[in-house]
């Protein structure tokens, strides 16, 4: 009877964990604590729930870092969580964070081009290209071509101004 009850508890808790209902899994454990707490199998189940709570907390912290604009912190937290292998949420969120970082770098490069800071723009684009997914590579290369073209145009204008000043 004891073993059957513990097996049923384990099944219910693991079902709740599989459904990402961690608080319900913890509640299921609490309901059976007085009966099964001394059994090593119950303690293992308790550890599984504790690990899952930590995992969910890590996901929340990564999302808060992301929403707060600390993409580097979010990325670091997500990389740690991916190693846990519980589900694919950290990998999906990491892809979103990396896209946001690339978007910010590309925007920074475009702004640098508009200000005439071509070397800064090219450095930002080089940095972005090292981390780029294939989807981003084309956009980065288009922006690089724009930076190079604008730099050449500005250089030509400066030479023309200098030539006119010397001729005058």
């Amino acid at each position: 009877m004891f073993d059957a009850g513990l097996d049923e508890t384990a099944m219910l808790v693991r079902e709740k964990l599989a459904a990402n209902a961690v608080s319900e899994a913890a509640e299921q454990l609490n309901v059976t604590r007085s009966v099964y707490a001394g059994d090593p199998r119950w303690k293992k189940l308790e550890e599984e729930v504790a690990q899952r709570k930590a995992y969910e907390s890590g996901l929340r912290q990564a999302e808060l870092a992301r929403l707060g604009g600390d993409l580097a912190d979010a990325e670091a937290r997500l990389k740690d969580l991916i190693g846990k292998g519980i589900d694919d949420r950290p990998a999906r969120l990491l892809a979103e964070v990396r896209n946001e970082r690339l978007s910010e770098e590309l925007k920074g490069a475009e702004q640098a081009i508009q200000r005439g800071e071509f070397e800064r723009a090219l450095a930002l684009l080089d940095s972005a290209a090292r981390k780029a997914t294939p989807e981003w590579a084309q956009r980065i290369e288009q922006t690089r071509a724009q930076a190079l073209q604008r730099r050449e145009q500005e250089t030509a204008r400066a030479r023309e101004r200098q030539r006119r000043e010397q001729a005058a």
Side-chain angles (χ1 to χ4, degrees):
M1 186 75 165
F2 181 88
D3 285 342
L6 183 54
D7 289 344
E8 183 179 341
T9 296
M11 181 190 69
L12 291 171
V13 167
R14 289 189 176 116
E15 283 176 0
K16 291 179 188 319
L17 290 177
N20 292 325
V22 180
S23 60
E24 291 176 25
E27 181 58 34
Q28 183 69 43
L29 275 180
N30 284 333
V31 167
T32 60
R33 182 177 307 278
S34 63
V35 177
Y36 302 116
D39 192 286
R41 295 171 292 173
W42 190 91
K43 289 188 184 299
K44 181 173 177 1
L45 206 53
E46 186 177 43
E47 288 174 19
E48 288 177 36
V49 171
Q51 288 172 350
R52 190 57 176 273
K53 280 182 178 179
Y55 177 81
E56 296 297 330
S57 175
L59 277 175
R60 280 191 302 281
Q61 290 172 357
E63 182 64 20
L64 288 173
R66 174 185 175 215
L67 294 172
D70 192 348
L71 299 178
D73 182 45
E75 187 170 347
R77 289 176 184 277
L78 292 166
K79 284 179 183 177
D80 287 342
L81 291 173
I82 287 173
K84 308 275 188 236
I86 292 175
D87 59 25
D88 68 343
R89 290 179 293 162
R92 285 185 285 136
L93 189 53
L94 181 59
E96 292 175 20
V97 167
R98 287 180 173 163
N99 279 336
E100 285 180 42
R101 287 184 83 174
L102 286 168
S103 179
E104 286 181 2
E105 287 185 35
L106 191 58
K107 185 177 180 181
E110 289 167 345
Q111 291 170 343
I113 292 168
Q114 294 302 316
R115 292 188 306 267
E117 299 171 356
F118 303 111
E119 297 311 312
R120 173 154 172 69
L122 292 169
L124 287 169
L125 292 167
D126 286 343
S127 173
R130 285 190 294 276
K131 299 173 258 180
T133 60
E135 300 84 43
W136 281 95
Q138 184 177 7
R139 291 178 64 188
I140 291 168
E141 286 309 309
Q142 289 171 340
T143 305
R144 180 188 314 284
Q146 179 186 9
L148 293 170
Q149 181 182 21
R150 291 276 311 272
R151 183 175 68 178
E152 284 182 35
Q153 291 170 344
E154 291 296 319
T155 301
R157 282 190 201 112
R159 277 193 223 128
E160 182 61 26
R161 274 193 303 273
Q162 186 178 29
R163 186 186 61 74
R164 287 182 188 159
E165 288 171 4
Q166 289 175 348

